[in-house]
Amino acid sequence: MRKIVLFIATSIDGFIAGKNGDTDWLYTDGDFGYKEFYDSIDTTIMGYNTYYFIKQFKQFPYPDKKNYVFSRSNRKPDGNPIEIIFSDVVEFTRELRSRKGRNIWLVGGSQINSMLINAGLIDEMIISIHPVALGQGIKLFKEDDLRNFQFKLVKHQVFERGLVQLTYDNI
Ligand SMILES: NC(=O)c1ccc[n+]([C@@H]2O[C@H](COP(=O)([O-])OP(=O)(O)OC[C@H]3O[C@@H](n4cnc5c(N)ncnc54)[C@H](OP(=O)(O)O)[C@@H]3O)[C@@H](O)[C@H]2O)c1
């Protein structure tokens, strides 16, 4: 079966964005395994807040993928190659995973990550820990929702810039 893979960057203290949603602390001067990972997926899923951040880029970054954005609000199509999903996040994702295809990238953010980990729908996590402490911000998982899950470390990679990439499988 295809896998749902959370490929994401965090600070040392476990934040995916600063308190105002800022991500200017992320290293952009290297690939850090991105291309290889990008080629392994054919679909992305994300929450609307993450999409809102992404749509401010000059160009939509995943034009050749099928992109699903979860929302509970009255969001409208905006010209980017995305489909807004108003149905149940967990049910939709479970059904998507059961379809044939390459792996699915769970882009984030915190709210959607929590929902999917709690539903046992994160098969693999590739977490790039940046050598930066933010003190406050948006956590990798929305803390008050998170249950206790065990993952197995299957790979680790250290980049010269000081970034450490950890790959975990769901067990
Ligand atoms: N460091 C990284 O690699 C990385 C990666 C991804 C994201 N981020 C950052 O993470 C932040 C966003 O994370 P977040 O936790 O605030 O938001 P999020 O999980 O990206 O999206 C939350 C939104 O998803 C929708 N949603 C939530 N629950 C839902 C449900 N049950 N059914 C349907 N839709 C639902 C809602 O959209 P509506 O408001 O439209 O209803 C909600 O506002 C951004 O700052 C982004 O830059 C960082």
Side-chain angles (χ1 to χ4, degrees):
M1 199 199 299
R2 70 203 301 210
K3 290 195 281 190
I4 296 171
V5 185
L6 174 62
F7 183 93
I8 202 160
T10 73
S11 65
I12 290 172
D13 44 351
F15 295 105
I16 58 171
K19 67 174 177 177
N20 300 316
D22 47 292
T23 52
D24 52 357
W25 49 276
L26 291 173
Y27 290 179
T28 52
D29 55 352
D31 170 75
F32 308 119
Y34 179 78
K35 188 178 181 312
E36 187 186 345
F37 172 74
Y38 190 78
D39 289 345
S40 73
I41 61 124
D42 63 10
T43 303
T44 77
I45 52 177
M46 69 194 85
Y48 193 86
N49 290 355
T50 293
Y51 173 65
Y52 183 79
F53 167 76
I54 286 171
K55 79 180 197 168
Q56 294 168 50
F57 296 171
K58 264 192 196 150
Q59 282 187 322
F60 183 73
Y62 323 128
D64 54 330
K65 309 293 181 188
K66 185 77 193 151
N67 303 292
Y68 297 107
V69 176
F70 298 113
S71 173
R72 284 175 297 209
S73 311
N74 190 24
R75 311 287 185 186
K76 299 270 192 290
D78 58 10
N80 279 329
I82 62 155
E83 193 175 322
I84 301 182
I85 303 298
F86 300 104
S87 57
D88 187 90
V89 173
V90 168
E91 286 311 306
F92 177 87
T93 305
R94 190 171 281 128
E95 198 277 324
L96 188 64
R97 185 172 65 167
S98 72
R99 290 186 216 159
K100 281 213 166 73
R102 308 189 84 178
N103 286 347
I104 299 162
W105 178 9
L106 167 57
V107 184
S110 189
Q111 293 180 39
I112 301 301
N113 294 348
S114 283
M115 261 179 264
L116 294 182
I117 197 173
N118 282 339
L121 283 171
I122 299 184
D123 301 303
E124 184 179 324
M125 297 194 286
I126 303 173
I127 300 178
S128 298
I129 303 175
H130 286 54
V132 175
L134 295 177
Q136 50 186 322
I138 299 171
K139 282 279 191 184
L140 176 59
F141 298 104
K142 200 164 163 266
E143 279 178 333
D144 47 346
D145 287 348
L146 190 63
R147 295 191 206 132
N148 186 338
F149 282 97
Q150 300 282 321
F151 280 79
K152 182 179 175 198
L153 182 71
V154 291
K155 188 175 167 192
H156 62 278
Q157 209 172 346
V158 179
F159 294 91
E160 266 180 33
R161 284 282 271 129
L163 189 153
V164 177
Q165 193 170 74
L166 304 173
T167 302
Y168 295 96
D169 274 354
N170 196 349
I171 51 173

